[in-house]
Amino acid sequence: MTAAEPRVQLVRDATFVRLHADGEISGTRGSAPDGLFLQDARHLSRWRLTVDGTAPVALVPATADTDDTAAGVLTPEGTRDNPPAYTVFRRQGVTAGAFTEHLSLVSNRPDAVTARLDLTVDADFADLFELRADDRHYAKPGAEYESRDTADGVLFSYRRADWLARTELICRPAPAESAPAQARPRSTARTLTWHLPIDAHGRADLHLTVRAHPHGRPLPAAPAPAASAPASASASAERNAHRHEGATDDLTRTCERGLADIDLLTIPVTGVDGEDVPVPAAGIPWFLTLFGRDSLLTSYFLLPYRPATAAAVLSALAATQGRCHDAFSGEQPGRIVHETRHGELAHFRQVPYGRYYGAVDATPLFLVLLHAHHEATGDRSLAVRLEQHARRAVDWMLTDGGLEQHGYLVYSPDPGGLVNQNWKDSAGAVCFRDGTQAEGPVAVSEVQGYAYDALLRTAELADGVWRDEPYARRLRERAARLRDRFATDFWMAEADFPALALDGTGRQVDALASDAGHLLWSGILDPERSRRVGRRLLEPDFFSGWAIRTLAAGQRPYHPLSYHRGSAWPHDNAVIALGLARHGLAAEVRTVTEGLVAAASRHGHRLPEVLAGYDRSATAGPVPYPHSCSPQAWAAATPLALRTALGEEPLSC
């Protein structure tokens, strides 16, 4: 099976497994890795079954019947005159830190037999950054891989200096034999063997549990028995059934699927006072961790429905707010973190992402969400609790963020991290019409809007909650100066459209990009220009029929399968829709909503992270972006933002 073929993906409690259609794992890398994953590491890289020396084939491919369980039917090869001797019923599931499998081997023979079942297993403990890398090798001096038999299975371990990770396989019944498997170099793979007596037309059962023990993490609670679906699965099914009961329109179904995906992506992290808080991780497979920008926008979209999510995210990001200057990670006092990682490469600082601060927009968005939470709930306590964190965030915007020195929030490319540090963070995304990447310090348009909104919203908190009127006045004055300066420096008169950015020389980065739509949401553009921009974004070069593209078609750098130069992102469209609604462009909101909901309805009402930029008239359905995360948090929350933009009543969540 190739990496391009689909995976069966099961998710629960910060753990996920990706399987081939026959329920196997082969240790693939690249854009579609398979295996069992927890805390940025692969804890199971091989899972291969044979019966009487033959690999059974999928009669019914493994299919996810809930978000965390799947079932399939396999048989050895057979013919019409010599049908298969056995049928294998395979049920697989995932729980917190564990993968479970229940195999039922049913004999189709009229006589009692003993079947030989072999299972080849391995754990390579690969870091997610290794699996993503196309051509980069990460040195691992002193790394030791080991596998050893236990009374009821096998234990795999990986040690490097102070790093220790383990994977444990528990079998009921225990295997009769265990031996090293013939596998790739440095493999610790083992083949476990059972000799299973089966009566005529009888069956034998095998229950397998794989438990992941990541470095530095307490052992997870015992998983649910493999003989039945995990308890969380039945709860999930019950919750989803209740949600969809009575849902008659595609937007409601997409909202409910999105809320279910938010549940799947929710992980525990540490809050500002050391408490555990549940926050939405960014997405699977690459980003099942806390992301500043993603979690902030996701929480904003959810505010009318689940305000507690915003409170949890704000607490978690306050807990990781920058305290010092560290060039490697981009940490600066008051700066809000971009992402956190728990894998081996981050631990040994071979990648800067253990706590990486390379985002120019997370800090103002933190302030936007803090005020929005107070505005939506009327609860002053969180704004009081995080007052000093908010003030430090403002200080960062003024100092290291660049407002005082450059007049704008700016970033410079990070050679060891992200070249671009706005939401379009891929190399080349912030470009001129000729495709040239802007060089820093770069001031991206939408971030100036976030900064403007953050200053005004923080001024309201200073006035109404912190009782500091002089501070509020200073913030409003800065916001007014920023708005005036922006109107002069960013507006491209000939295009009648704002520049994507200003480069380090102050030159307008003139590609026509969707970032302009965010300016409607933040309010930094005047109303008349906002309405013109909003209507422009619905012209055919921008709007594909499914969604607004990141870059208007017809420009030299446009590519419908580029990550940020022609694809279409649901969350980007959600921010734009909220901005359109702010300026009374109701027809445009309905157009964007119809396109996205139509796209979702063709994929089980789940919006992916990214759609290809092809026009709706060119294909029968939306073309998926090859490396898209699914589920993905801000895409999952997008239909809730669309519902808000339409002015519809919130769902019961």
Side-chain angles (χ1 to χ4, degrees):
M1 179 164 292
T2 68
E5 294 183 66
R7 298 279 186 264
V8 178
Q9 181 170 277
L10 308 177
V11 188
R12 181 61 57 194
D13 297 329
T15 309
F16 69 96
V17 66
R18 305 183 94 208
L19 307 161
H20 294 285
D22 55 3
E24 308 269 283
I25 295 169
S26 59
T28 57
R29 295 174 174 248
S31 63
D34 59 354
L36 172 65
F37 296 88
L38 181 62
Q39 288 196 183
D40 296 329
R42 180 160 66 184
H43 280 264
L44 189 63
S45 57
R46 197 170 183 200
W47 191 257
R48 183 175 181 272
L49 173 71
T50 63
V51 180
D52 286 346
T54 301
V57 296
L59 193 62
V60 177
T63 303
D65 46 17
T66 68
D67 292 318
D68 47 15
T69 61
V73 181
L74 303 94
T75 64
E77 294 281 1
T79 66
R80 184 178 63 180
D81 296 327
N82 186 24
Y86 304 102
T87 304
V88 182
F89 294 88
R90 187 170 217 171
R91 187 161 188 82
Q92 297 167 306
V94 66
T95 64
F99 168 65
T100 61
E101 176 157 338
H102 174 198
L103 288 167
S104 287
L105 183 62
V106 176
S107 174
N108 301 322
R109 294 173 174 173
D111 304 309
V113 295
T114 297
R116 176 186 173 119
L117 189 148
D118 293 300
L119 181 69
T120 300
V121 189
D122 200 7
D124 64 2
F125 301 99
D127 190 287
L128 275 178
F129 284 95
E130 292 179 86
L131 298 179
R132 287 177 68 184
D134 295 325
D135 54 5
R136 182 167 181 180
H137 173 73
Y138 293 93
K140 296 189 173 185
E144 298 177 0
Y145 298 83
E146 181 186 19
S147 61
R148 63 178 179 83
D149 296 332
T150 63
D152 51 7
V154 62
L155 178 67
F156 299 91
S157 62
Y158 171 68
R159 184 184 297 275
R160 176 186 168 196
D162 63 342
W163 182 270
L164 174 63
R166 295 174 295 153
T167 298
E168 179 183 16
L169 170 60
I170 302 167
C171 311
R172 299 286 188 272
E177 304 166 23
S178 174
Q182 290 185 349
R184 55 186 67 92
R186 294 180 60 190
S187 169
T188 53
R190 299 193 73 79
T191 297
L192 310 183
T193 302
W194 291 262
H195 302 283
L196 302 174
I198 309 177
D199 294 333
H201 297 295
R203 78 179 221 180
D205 292 291
L206 179 59
H207 300 281
L208 306 165
T209 300
V210 179
R211 301 183 68 190
H213 303 260
H215 172 77
R217 176 166 169 159
L219 299 186
S228 60
S232 58
S234 58
S236 172
E238 181 179 347
R239 182 168 59 245
N240 291 344
H242 174 72
R243 278 188 177 139
H244 288 278
E245 190 176 345
T248 57
D249 65 279
D250 284 334
L251 176 57
T252 299
R253 292 188 181 98
T254 305
C255 287
E256 292 173 341
R257 177 66 260 179
L259 289 169
D261 283 344
I262 295 295
D263 290 341
L264 288 178
L265 291 167
T266 296
I267 60 173
V269 299
T270 302
V272 68
D273 294 323
E275 76 281 21
D276 281 344
V277 292
V279 303
I284 294 173
W286 306 118
F287 308 118
L288 195 61
T289 187
L290 175 67
F291 266 67
R293 175 194 307 121
D294 299 53
S295 61
L296 287 162
L297 284 175
T298 298
S299 302
Y300 186 92
F301 295 167
L302 292 173
L303 255 181
Y305 311 90
R306 293 183 175 180
T309 301
V313 164
L314 289 163
S315 178
L317 294 176
T320 53
Q321 188 174 29
R323 297 177 179 272
C324 62
H325 287 91
D326 178 8
F328 180 71
S329 67
E331 182 178 2
Q332 294 165 341
R335 195 176 195 181
I336 296 300
V337 75
H338 171 60
E339 69 180 281
T340 62
R341 292 288 182 175
H342 306 282
E344 172 194 1
L345 298 182
H347 176 79
F348 289 106
R349 289 174 68 89
Q350 290 175 275
V351 296
Y353 303 110
R355 279 192 185 176
Y356 183 62
Y357 291 81
V360 71
D361 51 3
T363 307
L365 288 172
F366 174 85
L367 295 168
V368 168
L369 184 64
L370 181 62
H371 171 267
H373 177 269
H374 170 255
E375 184 179 48
T377 64
D379 182 2
R380 299 161 51 95
S381 62
L382 186 65
V384 170
R385 184 184 181 199
L386 300 184
E387 176 183 355
Q388 296 308 314
H389 297 83
R391 289 177 181 266
R392 287 196 288 270
V394 171
D395 289 345
W396 177 84
M397 291 201 304
L398 297 175
T399 56
D400 289 311
L403 276 179
E404 288 183 339
Q405 180 180 353
H406 299 281
Y408 296 109
L409 286 187
V410 300
Y411 66 86
S412 294
D414 178 0
L418 295 172
V419 172
N420 290 309
Q421 298 189 1
N422 62 326
W423 84 262
K424 294 179 178 177
D425 57 5
S426 61
V430 180
C431 62
F432 293 85
R433 284 199 189 192
D434 66 1
T436 306
Q437 163 70 33
E439 296 184 357
V442 178
V444 182
S445 62
E446 80 273 11
V447 176
Q448 314 318 315
Y450 303 162
Y452 169 76
D453 196 21
L455 291 169
L456 290 182
R457 288 176 178 269
T458 308
E460 288 194 22
L461 292 177
D463 254 345
V465 179
W466 306 332
R467 305 301 183 194
D468 189 344
E469 293 182 9
Y471 186 59
R473 185 171 58 254
R474 292 196 299 273
L475 295 182
R476 290 190 179 102
E477 290 170 354
R478 286 191 178 277
R481 293 197 297 271
L482 174 59
R483 192 176 196 234
D484 290 344
R485 188 164 52 247
F486 183 88
T488 299
D489 293 347
F490 275 80
W491 192 256
M492 300 187 297
E494 184 175 344
D496 197 33
F497 203 77
L500 170 56
L502 303 180
D503 72 2
T505 68
R507 186 167 51 132
Q508 291 179 337
V509 180
D510 60 355
L512 302 183
S514 64
D515 307 56
H518 293 224
L519 307 176
L520 280 64
W521 174 57
S522 63
I524 195 170
L525 280 183
D526 69 65
E528 180 55 37
R529 281 181 172 177
S530 292
R531 285 188 287 270
R532 296 207 303 271
V533 168
R535 295 186 181 105
R536 178 67 182 84
L537 289 168
L538 272 295
E539 292 294 323
D541 58 343
F542 264 117
F543 187 64
S544 71
W546 303 112
I548 296 168
R549 300 178 177 98
T550 47
L551 204 68
Q555 301 176 96
R556 180 179 175 84
Y558 170 77
H559 191 308
L561 290 173
S562 170
Y563 201 46
H564 291 125
R565 303 207 310 190
S567 59
W569 290 61
H571 91 276
D572 186 29
N573 281 250
V575 174
I576 294 170
L578 292 170
L580 294 170
R582 176 173 181 164
H583 293 280
L585 298 173
E588 286 78 4
V589 172
R590 289 193 295 271
T591 298
V592 172
T593 300
E594 189 280 329
L596 284 169
V597 171
S601 68
R602 287 160 171 79
H603 294 285
H605 300 285
R606 170 182 279 167
L607 281 168
E609 176 188 26
V610 199
L611 298 168
Y614 297 109
D615 193 83
R616 187 169 176 172
S617 63
T619 59
V623 177
Y625 176 78
H627 311 295
S628 179
C629 286
S630 184
Q632 206 264 1
W634 58 15
T638 285
L640 284 306
L642 297 176
R643 194 179 188 96
T644 300
L646 288 169
E648 297 192 8
E649 289 295 316
L651 296 170
S652 174
C653 300

